Amino acid sequence: MRGSSLSPEGERARLHIAVLMGGWSAEREVSLMSGEGVAKALESRGHQVTRVDMDRNVAAVLAGIRPDIVFNALHGTPGEDGSVQGMLDLMQIPYTHSGMATSVIAIDKVLTKQALLPHGIPMPGGHIVRSESLYAGDPMPRPYVLKPVNEGSSVGVAIVRADSNYGDPISPDAAGPWQKFDELLAEPFIKGRELTTAVLGDRALGVTELQTKSGFYDYDAKYTDGLTLHICPAEIPEDIAAMCMDIALKAHNILGCKGASRSDFRWDDEKGADGLYLLEVNTQPGMTPLSLVPEQAAAIGISYADLVEIIVEQALGGTRHDDTD
């Protein structure tokens, strides 16, 4: 069956859904957790689910099982960068979340800036630097942020402060992304608070503030229980919350995102509205027990299983959003 998961009588039809997870990116373990949660939710709704831990033979595996749709629960490359999306397009298998072109742009932080800044989306300035150049001097005044151009979940992000133990200039022996990536994006450090907003289809769900014990919402803080406090909804002024939701939805639409996305912000609360900056848009947001999209959905009455079903239905061209509208 290909099409809406709702039958002509309005009842949900049983689909064969391949949940694509795992892979070989730095976010493999998180993807496995997301995928297992999705698979169990779909099974609870009566769907036939095949769990697929992606390897280099994934096209042959999918051709063999012939699913009605693929639920893309991959994080990082190649599941989030357009590679898997292009493969599924060629195979003519429907899949959840954003398409190939959107994925190529959104995972690249430079391309994302180029797409969003002309539309008035506030983002930090920055430029690409060769990692080896950091050993001669700083690319901009400290504090600044160094991050890989094409990684998600804050993988490989370093904040270089005046008192950091990286050295001055940065030492080649200091542990950091310069040891793993030839090029990095350097951005001014935006002090303040971590905020994030999920978008589901054509609706921004809410705003969460993330308070971390480490002071930075890095990969470990995102996925280690107890390292980050989620305040949902965020205890921030209404105008800032409205700005987050407006910017997240606008960025989602400009980039052409489908299904669920998540926009991450830094807010310098000493500057009010002028201190809000969009950092990145995640086209494959996590679906783990600690993930933010399910949490924001639950806050407005959308259960985890409903969220998963909505994402599937939207990928198949359905119009259902949630039961709270």
Side-chain angles (χ1 to χ4, degrees):
M1 171 188 169
R2 297 286 168 83
S4 173
S5 61
L6 296 180
S7 69
E9 293 77 25
E11 297 180 356
R12 293 184 182 88
R14 185 172 184 264
L15 298 171
H16 178 200
I17 303 173
V19 178
L20 193 55
M21 60 179 120
W24 51 84
S25 80
E27 301 174 69
R28 169 179 168 79
E29 295 304 318
V30 176
S31 172
L32 289 172
M33 287 190 289
S34 287
E36 185 59 28
V38 167
K40 288 180 178 177
L42 291 169
E43 287 173 336
S44 75
R45 294 301 177 91
H47 297 295
Q48 177 189 350
V49 175
T50 301
R51 293 161 173 81
V52 179
D53 186 347
M54 192 181 77
D55 59 18
R56 308 286 179 178
N57 198 40
V58 64
V61 172
L62 291 173
I65 64 176
R66 300 183 63 190
D68 294 311
I69 184 170
V70 166
F71 193 107
N72 185 358
L74 294 166
H75 304 314
T77 57
E80 197 168 351
D81 67 353
S83 300
V84 163
Q85 290 80 4
M87 176 193 73
L88 293 171
D89 285 339
L90 285 172
M91 296 181 72
Q92 296 185 307
I93 301 175
Y95 54 91
T96 64
H97 298 85
S98 297
M100 183 180 70
T102 295
S103 300
V104 167
I105 294 170
I107 200 170
D108 187 302
K109 297 175 178 64
V110 175
L111 292 178
T112 300
K113 288 180 189 287
Q114 292 174 350
L116 297 181
L117 285 172
H119 294 273
I121 303 294
M123 302 185 75
H127 59 272
I128 299 295
V129 297
R130 296 287 300 176
S131 292
E132 61 187 19
S133 72
L134 301 169
Y135 311 143
D138 291 326
M140 60 181 60
R142 299 188 182 195
Y144 61 89
V145 179
L146 293 169
K147 59 181 73 172
V149 176
N150 293 303
E151 290 284 349
S153 286
S154 301
V155 171
V157 176
I159 301 176
V160 183
R161 306 178 189 271
D163 58 350
S164 70
N165 58 3
Y166 298 133
D168 189 7
I170 292 173
S171 167
D173 296 326
W178 43 84
Q179 294 183 331
K180 299 179 180 179
F181 302 93
D182 293 332
E183 291 186 330
L184 296 166
L185 175 63
E187 293 180 341
F189 174 70
I190 308 299
K191 70 173 185 177
R193 299 157 71 172
E194 300 273 357
L195 305 174
T196 192
T197 292
V199 173
L200 181 61
D202 58 1
R203 176 183 184 184
L205 301 184
V207 184
T208 299
E209 180 174 4
L210 306 159
Q211 296 181 355
T212 65
K213 293 183 178 180
S214 66
F216 176 59
Y217 191 51
D218 59 10
Y219 183 86
D220 289 337
K222 285 184 180 183
Y223 299 116
T224 304
D225 196 7
L227 290 187
T228 301
L229 175 64
H230 294 190
I231 302 174
C232 180
E235 296 173 355
I236 57 176
E238 289 185 7
D239 63 324
I240 301 300
M243 282 185 64
C244 287
M245 295 175 72
D246 179 67
I247 291 169
L249 183 57
K250 188 174 181 180
H252 179 101
N253 290 333
I254 292 169
L255 294 173
C257 297
K258 301 288 179 61
S261 72
R262 195 191 75 241
S263 291
D264 296 334
F265 298 87
R266 290 283 287 186
W267 178 46
D268 184 346
D269 53 7
E270 295 179 359
K271 295 183 178 180
D274 292 335
L276 184 66
Y277 293 89
L278 173 68
L279 299 182
E280 62 180 326
V281 178
N282 301 273
T283 58
Q284 294 286 137
M287 295 289 287
T288 76
L290 297 180
S291 294
L292 294 151
V293 174
E295 181 179 64
Q296 289 190 2
I300 60 171
I302 303 174
S303 71
Y304 185 95
D306 269 341
L307 172 64
V308 171
E309 187 109 53
I310 289 167
I311 292 172
V312 169
E313 289 179 2
Q314 290 183 352
L316 291 172
T319 58
R320 176 175 177 262
H321 296 283
D322 62 76
D323 298 326
T324 65
D325 287 342

